[in-house]
């Protein structure tokens, strides 16, 4: 796994990260709402071990799906209509890191704040800024962030099954991943929503 301090723009745990207005008590309620149990947390750790050396392939698989849909690929295009490869590469390093973070990071204040930061980086408040990118699209529309959750839950399963775990373990890792992903997306949606509606 790449050393976090070498990843440009990966500001996890630093004062540069946005502060999430979500309290740890709100977070506990949200975890309860997605049904995240202590057993899920153990299976998420197991998933982290399974995914660690496959994280880049996971991101490549998702990118391939995005590339085939012009209404998704457009969020990475430069003013000439070509994919901004430098931007894609920079974002990818943080994205790869996120795959294991999603499985291993404790859900504390630093984690909560970085979820707010990732949410903001999908919106016009912060998109393109971290990498100083000249990409045209200023904002990823919320509907696609939500819809892509279906892809990110379905496509992870074959990766979880590559290390010889029993089908029961694979199912449980997958269940824990799905809950974790929904939790992330719920938190990332917060900066999109008008005050009081979240
Ligand atoms: C389940 C859905 C999604 C997940 C798990 C996800 C995850 C991530 C992560 C981890 C990052 C890097 C955060 C960081 O800077 O540390 C990121 C950034 C980004 N994502 Fe997503 N994403 C999702 C949906 C989408 C969709 C649907 C699009 C558009 C097709 C998209 C486009 C981008 C772009 C353009 C960035 C870079 C934003 C910037 O300029 O900083 N994402 N995403």
């Amino acid at each position: 796994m790449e050393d976090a301090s070498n990843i440009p723009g990966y500001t996890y745990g630093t004062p540069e990260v946005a502060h999430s207005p979500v309290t740890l008590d709100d977070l506990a309620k949200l975890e309860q709402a997605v049904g995240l149990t202590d057993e899920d947390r153990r299976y998420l750790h197991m998933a982290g071990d399974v995914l660690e050396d496959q994280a880049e392939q996971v991101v490549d698989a998702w990118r391939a799906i995005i590339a085939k849909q012009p209404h998704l690929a457009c969020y990475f295009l430069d003013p000439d209509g070509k994919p901004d490869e430098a931007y894609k590469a920079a974002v990818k390093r943080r994205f790869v890191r996120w795959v294991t973070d999603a499985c291993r990071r404790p859900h504390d204040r630093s984690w909560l704040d970085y979820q707010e930061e990732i949410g903001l980086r999908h919106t016009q408040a912060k998109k393109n800024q971290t990498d100083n990118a000249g990409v045209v699209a200023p904002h990823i529309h919320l509907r696609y962030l939500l819809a892509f959750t279906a892809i990110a839950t379905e496509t992870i399963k074959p990766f979880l099954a590559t290390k010889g775990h029993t089908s029961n373990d694979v199912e449980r890792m997958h269940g824990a991943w799905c809950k974790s992903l929904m939790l992330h997306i719920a938190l990332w949606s917060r900066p999109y929503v008008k005050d009081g509606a979240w």
Side-chain angles (χ1 to χ4, degrees):
M1 188 166 67
E2 187 169 19
D3 182 351
S5 59
N6 289 337
I7 305 175
Y10 179 76
T11 50
Y12 198 112
T14 72
E16 291 162 60
V17 174
H19 172 71
S20 171
V22 179
T23 66
L24 290 169
D25 186 48
D26 292 331
L27 173 60
K29 290 175 182 157
L30 200 51
E31 288 173 341
Q32 212 181 337
V34 295
L36 192 75
T37 63
D38 288 344
E39 187 181 77
D40 288 321
R41 291 177 206 269
R42 284 197 298 279
Y43 277 102
L44 258 186
H45 273 266
M46 188 186 279
D49 294 342
V50 171
L51 295 175
E52 182 166 350
D53 65 357
Q54 306 184 84
E56 190 169 356
Q57 290 160 260
V58 170
V59 178
D60 286 342
W62 293 349
R63 286 264 172 103
I65 294 168
I66 288 174
K68 283 190 201 136
Q69 300 184 43
H71 48 281
L72 298 181
C74 64
Y75 297 105
F76 294 91
L77 299 184
D78 68 18
D80 296 328
K82 299 199 185 83
D84 184 329
E85 296 300 342
Y87 177 57
K88 285 177 69 181
V91 174
K92 185 178 181 183
R93 288 171 73 181
R94 300 193 297 275
F95 206 136
V96 166
R97 171 70 197 210
W98 171 81
V99 172
T100 45
D101 276 1
C103 298
R104 292 177 172 163
R105 288 280 197 186
H107 292 182
D108 56 12
R109 173 48 55 194
S110 296
W111 182 83
L112 209 40
D113 287 346
Y114 204 64
Q115 304 322 308
E116 179 77 6
E117 180 72 24
I118 295 180
L120 286 165
R121 289 181 186 189
H122 283 85
T123 73
Q124 54 212 348
K126 286 202 169 177
K127 185 178 184 294
N128 304 331
Q129 290 178 21
T130 305
D131 308 293
N132 208 10
V135 164
V136 179
H139 177 82
I140 293 151
H141 293 92
L142 179 60
R143 61 186 181 277
Y144 291 130
L145 186 64
L146 300 176
F148 206 76
T149 310
I151 301 294
T153 50
E154 188 190 8
T155 54
I156 203 77
K157 210 169 186 180
F159 291 101
L160 294 172
T162 54
K163 299 279 164 75
H165 290 80
T166 64
S167 57
N168 181 57
D169 279 350
V170 171
E171 285 301 325
R172 284 169 189 265
M173 284 190 278
H174 187 239
W177 172 267
C178 293
K179 292 176 190 179
S180 166
L181 190 70
M182 277 316 304
L183 183 65
H184 282 82
I185 299 293
L187 291 167
W188 296 354
S189 72
R190 204 214 62 81
Y192 280 92
V193 180
K194 67 179 182 195
D195 279 353
W198 189 75

